[in-house]
Amino acid sequence: FAMWPGWRIVAPSTPFDYVGLMNSALRCEDPVLVIEHVALYGTTGPGPLADLDYCIPLGTAKVVKTGAAFTVLTYLAMVPLAVRAAADMGVDAEVIDLRSLDRAGIDWATIEASVRKTHNVVVLEQGPLTASYGAMLVDELQRRCFDDLDQPVARIHGGESSPSVSRVLERSAFVGLEEIKAGYARMMADQ
C-alpha cells in the first residue's frame, strides 16, 4: 500500500494506538488506510478510557523502548516481538513503532534523533525480502542518515515462500522471535 502516494497509512500496534490513530484518520481530509493486523484482535492493553475521542497525530512515531546499541524500526505485530527479543537477549536496543507508513507521514525527526544516538539501524518487518516496505525505508535511511551510520542499515524479514498455502509455509514466510533474535545477534556482532 505504501508504494503508491496520495493517501495516509497508519498501522497501530496496540489497542490504545488503534483508537488514537483511527480517530485521527476519521478527522483527516486525505484518504487514510488503517491497517489492522490480525494479531491485534486478540491483544489486550490499556485504552483511552477517559477520552474515546483521543487522537494520535498522523505522522508521529513512538519510541516504545529506549536504548543505545542500535535502533529497531518496526510496525504492527512486530513491535511487541522486537521489545521481547531485546529483553530476552539483554540487548540495549531502541525500538521505534513507526505507526504512520506513508512516505509523507514517516516521522523522520524521531528516527534521525535515534540514529544519531545509536549509529546503527535495523528495519524489522514480518513480510518477505521482496516487494517490501522495508526496502523503501532502508533506501531512504541510507540517504538521510549516511553520515551518522557506523554500518549499512540491516533488515530482518521473512523468507521467500507464500504465506497462504499452509501453516509450514506461513511460518517460513513470516518473521518470528527466533529470526529477530538472530538478526539482533548479527547487529551486535557487526558493531
Side-chain angles (χ1 to χ4, degrees), residues 130-162:
T130 56
S132 74
Y133 178 76
M136 180 277 298
L137 192 59
V138 168
D139 176 63
E140 188 75 16
L141 276 163
Q142 290 285 129
R143 284 186 277 120
R144 285 180 177 259
C145 302
F146 183 80
D147 291 336
D148 291 312
L149 292 169
D150 288 344
Q151 61 181 317
V153 178
R155 289 178 62 198
I156 301 172
H157 52 76
E160 291 297 313
S161 65
S162 173

Side-chain angles (χ1 to χ4, degrees), residues 53-139:
D53 291 326
Y54 168 76
C55 288
I56 296 172
L58 301 182
T60 56
K62 176 174 65 174
V63 177
V64 295
K65 180 192 172 305
T66 59
F70 56 88
T71 300
V72 180
L73 301 177
T74 193
Y75 54 96
L76 290 173
M78 294 293 98
V79 174
L81 287 179
V83 172
R84 181 174 165 200
D88 288 354
M89 296 176 69
V91 172
D92 188 28
E94 180 150 295
V95 178
I96 297 177
D97 182 353
L98 295 172
R99 298 198 295 197
S100 288
L101 303 181
D102 55 284
R103 287 181 66 90
I106 297 172
D107 185 354
W108 287 111
T110 298
I111 293 168
E112 290 172 0
S114 181
V115 172
R116 282 191 298 275
K117 179 171 68 169
T118 67
H119 303 285
N120 297 286
V121 183
V122 62
V123 174
L124 167 60
E125 60 185 334
Q126 185 177 29
L129 171 67
T130 56
S132 74
Y133 178 76
M136 180 277 298
L137 192 59
V138 168
D139 176 63

